[in-house]
Amino acid sequence: MSRVAGPLVDIIAGARPNFMKVAPIIRALDARKAMGGRLRYRLIHTGQHYDARMSGDFFVQLGIPEPNVNLEAGSGTQAEQTAAIMVRYERLLLESPSQACLVVGDVTSTMACAIAAQKLKVPVAHVEAGIRSGDWAMPEEVNRIVTDAITNWFFTTSLWAGENLKREDVGGERIFFVGNTMIDTLLANLDRLRPPPFWDEMGLSSGGYFVLTLHRPSNVDTAAPFEALLKAIGEGTRGLPVVFPVHPRTAKMLEAIPGLPQSIRFVEPQPYLEFNHLVRHAKAVITDSGGITEEATVMGVPCMTLRDTTERPETVSVGTNEILGTDPAALAPALDRLFAGRWKKGAIPEKWDGRAAERIVAVLERILQA
Ligand code: UD1
């Protein structure tokens, strides 16, 4: 006897920080299916990131299945990318509708697919909803606000994110505090982390080097401030190697800066297992990323954020992160404190326990009556 097919959920993944967030959701959906669950999914890659180092490597390492559809939207300005993704996703939904669209995080693909879906009356679920930096100069902040304005079901990583949504008049019955799927992936992979091939060659040892990542347009799109930050980092880290996996947009700017500090070691963007091995064993991480502040918090590694704001305040109030701002002068005193052994220890935020994806799938099954 054949059963009626269960509801179909589109899972959207577009750019590097999406992949570790969708991996555990897909695993949880597969696990439910194996137990007779009826919810079906379709994995859609928008093509926002397309280099193997920014995309394919993550699929392989995290065991994410091949996408069912690749929209191949590629790079462009914010509007070009948004438009290309919307047009292509809308076409897909018109040809082959789904019953819900699940988006994660705050990248351009997140917002573009949410808009295309909602306009076709496909309800939107947003994972990592409600976080806010308050800084509209960040493209991600605009993506968050627009996405949450048209989301039906909000999955949050903190109670604070839920409070932000309630202030924006979202009813509490639509907010689900489930934890953090990025941390689900980290905890599931802690035992698999492994050193990158250059570990010995660079003479890296536990606690004997720094990890640096910078790719925010505000930090890297103009040569002079970027150069000043790199000089301050080179000076403050007292000759220890600073491993800097360089994002493609940052690489373009580096070519325009002569005479970079010797201790900064520029390497390609790292795959997931190697990158998090580097973070786990670093003396500290210096970054302008948001997700990395969460991972550093969970691994108990000191973290310095070169931004004026954070949309993840629990990494500061509970975790190991501090917001230094973007003035290079802030680095020396912070690094002095670190070298003096006076960095805070930090703890793990509530519900960052590796089970967020299971909670999300349980809610989806209930809502979609799967
Ligand atoms: C995007 C996200 C950001 C996230 C970051 C992680 C938005 C608005 N921003 O920023 O939140 O932290 O991803 O990487 O969505 N490029 C490549 N190969 C690729 C992808 C991009 O070379 O596979 C180059 C292209 O020149 C492209 C540039 O990087 O124009 C920027 O890519 P884009 O996706 O626009 O934004 P990111 O800076 O990567």
Side-chain angles (χ1 to χ4, degrees), residues 235-254:
E235 280 159 21
T237 47
R238 306 187 183 181
L240 291 183
V242 179
V243 182
F244 185 2
V246 181
H247 184 281
R249 81 176 297 136
T250 312
K252 286 179 196 161
M253 185 48 73
L254 278 175

Side-chain angles (χ1 to χ4, degrees), residues 142-189:
V142 177
N143 295 343
R144 290 178 197 120
I145 293 169
V146 173
T147 303
D148 283 341
I150 53 168
T151 285
N152 299 73
W153 307 302
F154 302 82
F155 294 105
T156 59
T157 50
S158 66
L159 287 170
W160 177 78
E163 294 305 319
N164 289 337
L165 291 167
K166 286 178 191 163
R167 263 197 302 280
E168 293 169 15
D169 285 336
V170 176
E173 73 288 354
R174 294 198 288 143
I175 303 171
F176 306 94
F177 173 34
V178 289
N180 190 325
T181 60
M182 192 174 208
I183 299 308
D184 288 5
T185 292
L186 181 64
L187 296 177
N189 285 285

Side-chain angles (χ1 to χ4, degrees), residues 304-370:
M304 304 177 186
T305 294
L306 300 183
R307 286 174 47 192
D308 295 320
T309 56
T310 178
E311 59 289 334
R312 296 164 161 90
E314 62 280 7
T315 63
V316 177
S317 59
V318 180
T320 55
N321 184 28
E322 264 191 42
I323 304 296
L324 298 191
T326 53
D327 181 352
L331 277 155
L335 287 162
D336 286 347
R337 250 188 309 123
L338 176 77
F339 278 106
R342 287 191 285 112
W343 202 265
K344 59 184 168 176
K345 292 281 170 263
I348 297 186
E350 193 183 346
K351 285 200 193 173
W352 289 16
D353 59 0
R355 302 191 47 203
E358 277 171 45
R359 296 185 186 109
I360 289 169
V361 171
V363 172
L364 287 176
E365 284 185 331
R366 181 155 48 81
I367 296 172
L368 296 169
Q369 298 176 339

Side-chain angles (χ1 to χ4, degrees), residues 97-280:
S98 66
Q99 280 70 57
C101 169
L102 181 139
V103 294
V104 300
D106 53 21
V107 302
T108 300
S109 303
T110 308
M111 174 186 71
C113 289
I115 297 173
Q118 192 59 262
K119 291 216 171 206
L120 290 175
K121 302 189 174 57
V122 174
V124 174
H126 184 199
V127 173
E128 204 185 87
I131 62 174
R132 296 285 182 271
S133 70
D135 177 3
W136 285 12
M138 288 177 71
E140 294 82 1
E141 183 72 354
V142 177
N143 295 343
R144 290 178 197 120
I145 293 169
V146 173
T147 303
D148 283 341
I150 53 168
T151 285
N152 299 73
W153 307 302
F154 302 82
F155 294 105
T156 59
T157 50
S158 66
L159 287 170
W160 177 78
E163 294 305 319
N164 289 337
L165 291 167
K166 286 178 191 163
R167 263 197 302 280
E168 293 169 15
D169 285 336
V170 176
E173 73 288 354
R174 294 198 288 143
I175 303 171
F176 306 94
F177 173 34
V178 289
N180 190 325
T181 60
M182 192 174 208
I183 299 308
D184 288 5
T185 292
L186 181 64
L187 296 177
N189 285 285
L190 271 184
D191 293 343
R192 297 177 63 223
L193 302 184
R194 58 190 191 201
F198 54 77
W199 179 267
D200 289 332
E201 195 184 307
M202 279 190 195
L204 304 182
S205 62
S206 219
Y209 65 93
F210 287 79
V211 171
L212 171 64
T213 81
L214 290 174
H215 74 285
R216 296 270 159 232
S218 52
N219 279 332
V220 306
D221 278 4
T222 324
F226 185 28
E227 185 177 5
L229 277 177
L230 292 178
K231 289 226 163 93
I233 291 165
E235 280 159 21
T237 47
R238 306 187 183 181
L240 291 183
V242 179
V243 182
F244 185 2
V246 181
H247 184 281
R249 81 176 297 136
T250 312
K252 286 179 196 161
M253 185 48 73
L254 278 175
E255 287 165 17
I257 305 179
L260 292 160
Q262 290 290 317
S263 59
I264 301 184
R265 312 288 166 82
F266 301 95
V267 296
E268 296 265 291
Q270 292 299 298
Y272 185 83
L273 299 175
E274 286 79 359
F275 182 76
N276 280 292
H277 181 93
L278 284 168
V279 171
R280 190 180 197 183

